[in-house]
């Protein structure tokens, strides 16, 4: 309920600022000017849309693998980039035609970032709220709620656009900045109110570091209020190439996978860790590998061994985490595609 309340208010604020930015774009395209032609306006609009489409294709190819493991932060990034795009559109209306088109295309690229990150993160959050496997039902209701809020916001935005003349850049900017600040605040409160119970690298680091230091697990709500803006201080690369670990190994790399049951090898490079994955490695084993990285205190480089003591502490950690309401079964880490494959004789 808290998330939906804040999400409703952010959609309303976004609709108001969207109305003002649309008016500015139409003004820049020459609507209301006697010397403007239909062809020039159409070509300008198509160029703007094509720029956004190309940017969306490129961004989806480069960003897709990172969206699942940080969906709350990407949701916030989507709204920030959308607000930046609208701000550029509003202030570009008073620029010459050449500079106006450059600014509009830049805004279209920012909207592409918003589209890719916002759409993907919203789908992930919808799955989180679908506790009864009713993803379609939750998605439809969430869309209806946002449509209703946007409908009300557009009517209010049209009233604002009617009362504030387009020639008054100062008044338009003041209203835009007010609703943008409200929009960002509502979005921040919305994503902080979402209590995700599966681990990503930030949430895993917050829980594991406290468990290693104090033997306790922080509450799920405490962690979720801090994981939106916090960057993970521990650099761990899952699915790294074997060549990334070779300079830091003192022995034959074929001996990395000494255990027949654990399909991974953790190698310290000094300032970071690389995790070499063998074919068949499960998400549970990746969580164990991350626990080994957090627990590693000796420094230096080389293979980090899975000792019976670390395995015992990991089992204690997972038991305490599950009792605290966390889901240890499906951690969402960013995993590269490299795997070590066994060669049959």
């Amino acid at each position: 309920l808290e998330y939906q309340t804040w999400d409703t208010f952010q959609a309303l604020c976004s609709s108001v600022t969207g109305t003002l930015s649309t008016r500015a774009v139409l003004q820049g395209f020459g609507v209301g000017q006697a010397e403007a032609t239909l062809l020039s306006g159409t070509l300008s609009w198509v160029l703007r849309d094509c720029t956004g489409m190309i940017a969306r294709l490129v961004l989806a190819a480069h960003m897709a693998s990172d969206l699942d493991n940080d969906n709350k932060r990407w949701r916030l990034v989507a709204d920030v980039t959308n607000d930046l795009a609208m701000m550029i559109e509003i202030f570009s209306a008073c620029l010459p035609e050449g500079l106006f088109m450059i600014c509009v295309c830049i805004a279209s690229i920012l909207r592409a970032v918003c589209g890719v990150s916002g759409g993907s993160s919203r789908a992930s959050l919808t799955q989180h709220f679908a506790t009864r496997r009713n993803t379609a039902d939750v998605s439809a209701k969430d869309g209806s709620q946002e449509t209703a809020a946007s409908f009300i916001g557009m009517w209010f935005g049209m009233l604002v656009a009617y009362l504030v003349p387009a020639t008054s850049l100062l008044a338009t900017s003041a209203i835009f900045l007010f609703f943008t600040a409200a929009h960002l605040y509502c979005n921040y409160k919305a994503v902080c109110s979402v209590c995700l119970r599966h681990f990503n690298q930030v949430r895993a680091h917050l829980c594991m570091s406290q468990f290693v230091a104090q033997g306790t697990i922080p509450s799920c709500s405490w962690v979720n209020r801090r994981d939106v803006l916090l960057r993970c201080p521990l650099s761990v690369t899952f699915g790294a190439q074997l060549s990334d670990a070779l300079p830091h190994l003192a022995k034959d790399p074929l001996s990395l996978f000494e255990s027949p049951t654990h399909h991974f090898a953790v190698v310290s490079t000094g300032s970071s860790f690389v995790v070499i994955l063998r074919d068949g490695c499960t998400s549970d084993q990746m969580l164990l590998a991350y626990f080994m990285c957090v627990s590693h205190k000796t420094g230096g480089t080389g293979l980090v061994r899975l000792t019976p003591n670390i395995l015992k502490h990991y089992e204690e950690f997972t038991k305490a985490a599950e009792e605290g309401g966390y889901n240890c079964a499906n951690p969402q880490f960013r995993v590269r595609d490299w795997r070590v494959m066994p060669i049959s004789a």
Side-chain angles (χ1 to χ4, degrees):
L1 181 60
E2 183 182 0
Y3 171 80
Q4 291 297 335
T5 301
W6 288 114
D7 191 50
T8 299
F9 282 116
Q10 70 85 18
L12 193 149
C13 294
S14 182
S15 295
V16 175
T17 53
T19 302
L20 295 176
S21 67
T22 300
R23 182 180 70 173
V25 170
L26 293 175
Q27 180 185 356
F29 282 151
V31 174
Q33 299 177 12
E35 63 274 15
T37 64
L38 179 61
L39 179 61
S40 64
T42 302
L43 292 177
S44 299
W45 194 277
V46 169
L47 177 62
R48 167 180 175 263
D49 285 352
C50 287
T51 303
M53 291 176 186
I54 295 172
R56 197 179 182 103
L57 292 173
V58 174
L59 290 167
H62 287 83
M63 293 168 54
S65 61
D66 197 33
L67 294 174
D68 274 325
N69 62 330
D70 242 349
N71 47 14
K72 290 169 67 176
R73 181 178 289 119
W74 281 114
R75 173 66 194 276
L76 202 59
V77 167
D79 293 301
V80 170
T81 53
N82 187 50
D83 288 338
L84 283 174
M86 288 189 287
M87 183 176 68
I88 290 174
E89 289 173 345
I90 286 177
F91 288 105
S92 65
C94 57
L95 296 176
E97 184 177 355
L99 291 177
F100 169 77
M101 278 308 306
I102 294 175
C103 289
V104 167
C105 289
I106 293 174
S108 185
I109 294 173
L110 290 173
R111 286 187 189 278
V113 177
C114 171
V116 173
S117 57
S120 303
S121 58
R122 178 172 288 275
S124 182
L125 291 175
T126 300
Q127 289 182 339
H128 164 72
F129 288 117
T131 55
R132 292 182 291 180
R133 299 180 181 271
N134 55 338
T135 305
D137 180 36
V138 172
S139 179
K141 290 176 179 176
D142 179 62
S144 298
Q145 168 258 325
E146 184 154 354
T147 300
S150 300
F151 179 77
I152 297 171
M154 280 194 291
W155 277 101
F156 187 70
M158 285 190 290
L159 177 62
V160 171
Y162 175 77
L163 295 176
V164 179
T167 54
S168 178
L169 183 60
L170 182 61
T172 302
S173 302
I175 295 172
F176 173 80
L177 291 176
F178 171 78
F179 280 101
T180 298
H183 175 242
L184 292 176
Y185 177 76
C186 291
N187 264 294
Y188 176 74
K189 296 294 288 185
V191 295
C192 285
S193 67
V194 178
C195 191
L196 298 178
R197 300 190 179 277
H198 64 269
F199 287 118
N200 63 0
Q201 287 188 234
V202 177
R203 289 191 288 276
H205 187 271
L206 288 172
C207 292
M208 291 177 179
S209 57
Q210 180 169 317
F211 182 82
V212 170
Q214 304 175 16
T216 59
I217 298 287
S219 67
C220 195
S221 58
W222 184 88
V223 170
N224 275 272
R225 286 195 299 269
R226 285 158 178 79
D227 72 332
V228 178
L229 300 178
L230 180 66
R231 297 294 298 179
C232 186
L234 188 65
S235 176
V236 181
T237 303
F238 287 92
Q241 291 179 269
L242 193 58
S243 57
D244 296 334
L246 287 178
H248 309 284
L249 295 175
K251 55 191 302 187
D252 187 356
L254 295 178
S255 63
L256 281 175
F257 305 99
E258 296 175 340
S259 171
T261 58
H262 296 109
H263 296 69
F264 65 87
V266 179
V267 179
S268 171
T269 64
S271 59
S272 62
F273 295 89
V274 293
V275 181
I276 311 299
L277 302 179
R278 192 165 63 181
D279 190 44
C281 183
T282 63
S283 57
D284 295 344
Q285 293 184 6
M286 292 183 198
L287 189 63
L288 171 58
Y290 196 82
F291 187 82
M292 292 171 59
C293 297
V294 176
S295 304
H296 186 64
K297 300 177 180 178
T298 58
T301 62
L303 181 66
V304 180
R305 295 196 174 277
L306 177 59
T307 63
N309 187 45
I310 291 180
L311 188 57
K312 177 185 175 183
H313 278 81
Y314 173 73
E315 292 172 352
E316 294 172 351
F317 166 77
T318 55
K319 181 180 178 181
E322 289 173 353
E323 290 175 353
Y326 292 95
N327 178 13
C328 299
N330 297 297
Q332 295 287 343
F333 296 150
R334 184 175 184 180
V335 183
R336 294 165 64 183
D337 296 329
W338 298 98
R339 299 290 186 277
V340 175
M341 302 287 291
I343 301 176
S344 57

